[in-house]
Amino acid sequence: MDAQESSSSPGAVEYIVTGGHWNREYQVTQGGTTIYHVENKSTSPDKPHLLFFAGNTTEGPVVGSAHTNRFSSDVQITLGDPNLPKTVTAAKLIKKGLMSFRYVIELEVDRQRRTFTWKRTEQADSFGPTASLKLTDEANEVVAMFLPGGGRVQRDGVVRLYADLGESVKLMTFIAALALREKTRFRAVNPTSDLAMPVTYS
């Protein structure tokens, strides 16, 4: 286990994810203030289609989205309003391997292209029916974690950020974490999904 994965998490910035209406919506909050409202527009549970709105309702501007095509395990992430293509920045979470849960994404940080990987983690204070996830950089340093809550309604999930990589990367992290959470939640109840293979931890 990485040193940064201890339950005390010194230096981490925490964001709380709460949900309602049977996982059809989420709120991302910090210090009691809602910064993003998220609508789950999925047409089927294994293909997440999430819309992120600035503020606490759908009346705010669309600032990001996640979408999975019908025949792909990859997740397309966009920043900006997908209805306004000229304003959108896109990145793709690419699934690596059948026997492990790894998703790789390339992002621009300080004008440099960098590669990050989402993995499952045996985090000591993980809870709920879906596994905790960690985001690591090229040196395998943990830059973020997602600890999902339990039950049919998402409660008290936590996103921990260990590095300040800019606002765009932070929003990408929230979008990716919730998209992967939806996919792992579906796997827990559907053994025929594309995530039904045994997974490894690293």
Side-chain angles (χ1 to χ4, degrees), residues 165-181:
L165 300 177
E167 290 300 313
S168 294
V169 175
K170 179 169 70 175
L171 178 53
M172 284 275 190
T173 300
F174 294 144
I175 296 172
L178 282 178
L180 293 177
R181 190 266 176 182

Side-chain angles (χ1 to χ4, degrees), residues 1-38:
M1 180 179 295
D2 295 271
Q4 287 180 307
E5 293 184 56
S6 64
S7 58
S8 58
S9 303
V13 179
E14 292 195 346
Y15 298 82
I16 305 300
V17 179
T18 59
H21 300 295
W22 300 81
N23 302 104
R24 301 305 300 177
E25 62 182 35
Y26 297 96
Q27 304 277 344
V28 180
T29 67
Q30 184 186 33
T33 299
T34 300
I35 56 177
Y36 298 115
H37 175 83
V38 186

Side-chain angles (χ1 to χ4, degrees), residues 7-178:
S7 58
S8 58
S9 303
V13 179
E14 292 195 346
Y15 298 82
I16 305 300
V17 179
T18 59
H21 300 295
W22 300 81
N23 302 104
R24 301 305 300 177
E25 62 182 35
Y26 297 96
Q27 304 277 344
V28 180
T29 67
Q30 184 186 33
T33 299
T34 300
I35 56 177
Y36 298 115
H37 175 83
V38 186
E39 290 287 302
N40 185 350
K41 300 292 187 180
S42 303
T43 56
S44 60
D46 62 327
K47 304 300 180 186
H49 186 179
L50 306 176
L51 287 177
F52 276 64
F53 299 83
N56 59 4
T57 70
T58 56
E59 295 181 0
V62 176
V63 294
S65 67
H67 180 70
T68 303
N69 292 325
R70 183 177 181 182
F71 299 108
S72 175
S73 296
D74 300 340
V75 181
Q76 184 72 34
I77 295 178
T78 60
L79 298 185
D81 189 337
N83 295 317
L84 302 172
K86 292 183 179 180
T87 70
V88 166
T89 300
K92 182 175 286 188
L93 274 170
I94 300 175
K95 190 175 189 299
K96 296 293 185 180
L98 293 176
M99 302 300 289
S100 65
F101 185 95
R102 286 174 178 264
Y103 281 81
V104 174
I105 188 169
E106 290 189 357
L107 301 173
E108 185 173 299
V109 181
D110 295 330
R111 299 184 180 181
Q112 293 184 340
R113 298 294 293 178
R114 295 186 56 185
T115 301
F116 299 90
T117 304
W118 282 99
K119 312 171 186 178
R120 289 178 182 269
T121 178
E122 293 180 299
Q123 167 71 8
D125 55 4
S126 174
F127 58 101
T130 58
S132 294
L133 305 174
K134 64 181 177 181
L135 180 66
T136 60
D137 63 12
E138 302 93 336
N140 204 34
E141 292 292 323
V142 178
V143 298
M145 291 193 67
F146 178 53
L147 308 176
R152 292 182 180 273
V153 178
Q154 173 78 345
R155 296 185 187 278
D156 299 330
V158 176
V159 175
R160 292 178 181 158
L161 301 183
Y162 298 95
D164 184 1
L165 300 177
E167 290 300 313
S168 294
V169 175
K170 179 169 70 175
L171 178 53
M172 284 275 190
T173 300
F174 294 144
I175 296 172
L178 282 178

